[in-house]
């Protein structure tokens, strides 16, 4: 660790997509003793940065404790084993690069570029994302780059593009101060976007009548507690609800005919479709009282300033894109877009999922919100990258789940996972494990040791993480923040972008990957966005450092400003006609609804103080104390029906697997539904592999799996919860000097008999 200094550093929080500004204080500020983490390592301390326009000095408990998590349990050096049965051995970076170059060349010569894929993450910086695109889509010639955004925001991306002509959330956080109705659907904002939620809550407390809060969520959450109206709809019935609202708005004359006439296309088919969705029918399908539906429709039909906020309850559906479309339809019907306090606003999950979209970080995208399938787009990018025409393949690459299927089919020889932990977060985990166990080479770029995915990898590359590498991130309101390197790199770790650039050069593309700094990478990326909706061609690391965070669009020559901006104030949309489009789709409901054998719908989500697979948050004592264990939430009626008591261990079985978890009997959840957190993977002491139960059926447009619902049955579990051994080599944590040891290869899978074969 470097000598303590007095330098305070401004950055963006590396957790959620609110993207709060953090002020990081060094381990010792003048006159104070050195602050240390639980292992005694000097530690930077975070507090809210008042100068950041997105968060105005606020911060939640995850952001506030991030300093405690940055050094503990890290992966320090490259490790390799040629098979999963062997122990990991340290190898020099030089050898790791030689191995990669050798294997890539062999695969390119024998099987072609299609046998290589990368699965990346919204936790990359924009520079990491951008160079991964250049390496895979440009140099290697495969579009097989996908990111965990496929599990997260891809329905929003597809929905915006279909309805408005382009990706890009049109709103800004200031809209929370101006809206008269906050329509929160499929989002537990209180736990998952806490600083935004507090902003809304403070306003509501100060002036209770200035804003009506509506929450649509099958569960009662800390978000719904603040609602004037909570619609606890049956899981997967959102689209019926949205059509039912439209039906009443149309019937009662609350629509904006001028807006529809001037700024939209395809209204007729939509009007016909929603005519079928009568209040009686919708109330029945959604399982809510008709008067609740009428109350919410009255708000949509009468109020000006309707702001919709949504997240995974909407996106993670096999009809995710259709539900996003259904929500945007309501904004088009009422003209509630492009004005202060109005619009459809997706809350991005990860800190830089937005930057990832800008950089082209999904299998069908290219930088600057361009499309792989568009020949002109490919030509522009090939030229900017300095590759021959035709270098970028014309077909979209494999999505996250398609990559798993390709490994299963023996079609992928090298799977490179970076900044994501798929052995907790992908659905149908036993299938993913089996696939990975047969992949000839699994490479994992990770900041921390002993993640679940590391147990199934051959080559571990230690990644320098946020705070150790300089880069840019974009938050949900399109604001870009420069995140400096203010701590030394951990051990031999390297920033992901540097690894991609080095590999590019070693593959012979010396000119294309010659960068002296991440500022140069950003400059090249920014230039490539000129003229696009997400134009950041006027931004640079230097400008962001000098002027602070900036919102896009920020074309070359723009003046820096902290004032909030919105898209589509001119009601001109980036479609061929310049008008937004209504989309008309019939609701489908859940891909795997409850049935006799599996009578409950399991939904999986998040806790306030845990982040995803807990590689960071498990290292902060305060956060662990908030959520010491995963709990199965079940309604008292269901608990009684299945003979389960509060505090019991229950076994939860789906068509794919069976796990056990401790029970919390609560009326926060609807009868017929149960809830589990997503966080505890098989490496955790209290493993609870919720995603072993989930299916992978996905939205056909966005490819986003329905991670919010699967049919299960529950029963009291046998008292003994036996860990299951997995036949896989050594624990990578044993090679990380300062690593907390993982608890071994545990699985929460109940091995008393495997999944029930019942079908229905
Ligand atoms: N504390 C914390 N914050 C986070 C994260 C974290 O791990 N921890 N992760 C970040 C990321 S990447 C993301 S994507 C966001 C996710 O943010 P959210 O989407 O807000 O979080 P979830 O808990 O996954 O799900 C939200 C809600 O969807 C509801 N839901 C389930 N089924 C349905 C349905 O059929 N209809 C409706 N309307 N709602 C339904 C659930 O009951 C749940 O309350 O959070 C970000 N912020
Ligand atoms: N059932 C169900 N499943 C879900 C969800 C759900 O709601 N329900 N949510 C889905 C969603 S929205 C998401 S976003 C995913 C999240 O799931 P994951 O992406 O698997 O979750 P993380 O734990 O955030 O994984 C990020 C990893 O990157 C590592 N890391 C951090 N910084 C760096 C870096 O700079 N470089 C590198 N190389 N590594 C780094 C971290 O240590 C961590 O292991 O889960 C999805 N899965
Ligand atoms: S709200 Fe999100 S971005 Fe802000 S401090 Fe909390 S985790 Fe970080
Ligand atoms: Mo996410």
């Amino acid at each position: 660790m470097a000598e303590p200094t007095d330098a305070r550093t401004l950055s963006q929080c590396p957790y959620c997509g609110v993207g709060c500004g953090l002020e990081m204080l060094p381990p010792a500020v003048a006159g104070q003793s050195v602050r240390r983490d639980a292992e005694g390592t000097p530690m930077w301390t975070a507090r809210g940065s008042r100068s950041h326009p997105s968060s105005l000095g606020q911060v939640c408990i995850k952001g506030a404790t991030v300093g405690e998590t940055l050094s503990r349990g890290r992966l320090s050096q490259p490790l390799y084993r040629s098979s999963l049965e062997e122990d990991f051995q340290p190898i020099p970076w030089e050898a790791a690069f030689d191995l990669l170059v050798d294997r890539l060349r062999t695969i390119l010569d024998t099987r072609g570029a299609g046998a290589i894929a990368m699965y990346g993450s919204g936790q990359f910086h924009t520079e990491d994302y951008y160079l991964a695109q250049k390496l895979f889509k440009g140099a290697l010639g495969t579009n097989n780059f996908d990111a965990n955004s496929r599990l997260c925001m891809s329905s929003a991306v597809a929905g915006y593009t279909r309805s408005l002509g382009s990706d890009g959330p049109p709103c800004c956080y200031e809209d929370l101060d101006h809206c008269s109705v906050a329509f929160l659907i499929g989002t537990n904002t209180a736990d998952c976007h806490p600083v935004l939620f507090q902003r809304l809550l403070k306003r509501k407390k100060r002036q209770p009548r200035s804003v009506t809060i509506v929450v649509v969520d099958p569960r009662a959450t800390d978000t719904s507690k603040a609602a004037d109206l909570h619609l606890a709809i049956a899981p997967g019935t959102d689209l019926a609800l949205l059509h039912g609202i439209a039906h009443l708005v149309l019937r009662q004359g609350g629509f904006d005919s001028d807006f529809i006439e001037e700024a939209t296309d395809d209204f007729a088919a939509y009007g016909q479709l929603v005519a079928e969705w009568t209040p009686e029918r919708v109330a029945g399908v959604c399982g809510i009282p008709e008067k609740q539906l009428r109350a919410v429709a009255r708000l949509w039909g009468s109020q000006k300033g309707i702001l919709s906020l949504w997240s995974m309850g909407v996106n993670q559906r096999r009809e995710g894109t259709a539900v996003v479309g259904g929500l945007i339809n309501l904004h088009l019907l009422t003209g509630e877009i492009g004005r202060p306090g109005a619009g459809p606003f997706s809350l991005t999950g990860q800190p830089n999922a937005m930057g990832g979209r800008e950089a082209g970080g999904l299998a069908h995208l290219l930088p600057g919100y361009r499309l792989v399938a568009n020949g002109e787009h490919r030509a522009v990018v090939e030229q900017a990258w300095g590759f021959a025409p035709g270098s970028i393949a014309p077909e979209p690459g494999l999505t996250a789940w398609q990559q798993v299927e390709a490994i299963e089919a023996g079609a992928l020889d090298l799977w490179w996972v970076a900044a994501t932990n798929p052995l907790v977060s992908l659905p149908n985990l036993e299938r993913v494990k089996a696939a990975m166990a047969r992949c000839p080479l699994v490479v994992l770029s990770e900041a921390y040791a002993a993640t679940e995915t590391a147990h199934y990898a051959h080559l571990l590359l230690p990644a320098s993480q946020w705070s150790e590498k300089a880069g840019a991130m974009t938050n949900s309101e399109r604001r870009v923040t420069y995140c400096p390197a203010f701590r030394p790199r951990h051990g031999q770790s390297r920033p992901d972008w540097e690894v991609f650039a080095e590999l590019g050069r070693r593959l012979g593309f010396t000119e294309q990957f010659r960068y002296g700094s991440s500022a140069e990478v950003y400059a090249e990326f920014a230039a490539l966005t000129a003229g696009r909706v997400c134009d950041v061609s006027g931004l640079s690391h230097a400008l962001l450092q000098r002027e602070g965070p900036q919102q896009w669009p920020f074309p070359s020559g723009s003046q820096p400003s902290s004032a909030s901006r919105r898209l589509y104030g001119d009601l001109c949309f980036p479609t061929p006609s310049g008008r937004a489009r209504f989309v008309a789709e019939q609701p489908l409901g859940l891909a795997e609804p409850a049935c006799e054998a599996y009578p409950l719908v399991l939904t999986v989500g998040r806790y306030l103080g845990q982040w995803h697979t807990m590689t960071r948050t498990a290292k902060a004592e305060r956060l662990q104390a908030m959520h010491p264990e995963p709990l199965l939430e079940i309604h008292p009626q269901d608990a009684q029906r299945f003979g389960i008591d509060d505090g019991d261990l229950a076994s939860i079985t789906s068509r794919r697997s069976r796990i056990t978890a401790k029970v919390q009997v609560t009326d926060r959840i609807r009868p017929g539904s149960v809830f589990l957190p997503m966080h505890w993977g098989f490496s955790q002491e209290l493993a609870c592999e919720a995603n072993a139960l989930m299916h992978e059926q996905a939205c056909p447009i966005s490819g986003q799996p329905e991670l919010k619902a699967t049919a299960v049955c529950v029963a009291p579990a046998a008292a003994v919860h036996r860990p299951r051994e997995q036949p896989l080599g050594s624990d990578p944590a044993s090679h990380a000097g300062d690593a907390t040891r993982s608890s071994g290869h545990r699985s929460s899978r109940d091995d008393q008999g495997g999944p029930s074969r019942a079908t229905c």
Side-chain angles (χ1 to χ4, degrees), residues 11 74 121 123-129 419 445 447 463-473 482-490 493-498 500 518 541 616:
S11 192
R74 294 289 300 275
S121 162
Q123 289 165 77
F124 276 159
H125 286 172
T126 301
E127 296 75 3
D128 303 320
Y129 252 121
S445 297
S464 306
Q465 63 168 332
W466 174 88
S467 78
E468 299 162 7
K469 60 180 179 183
M473 297 208 273
Y482 172 72
C483 303
F486 57 89
R487 294 169 59 253
R489 295 174 181 184
H490 182 88
S493 72
R494 296 189 182 187
D496 298 297
W497 73 265
E498 268 190 36
F500 303 151
S518 62
H541 280 194
R616 278 200 194 114

Side-chain angles (χ1 to χ4, degrees), residues 13 15-16 18-20 22 59-60 62-63 193-195:
C13 174
Y15 285 117
C16 87
V18 177
C20 297
L22 293 187
V59 70
C60 80
K62 290 188 297 305
H193 296 93
V195 164

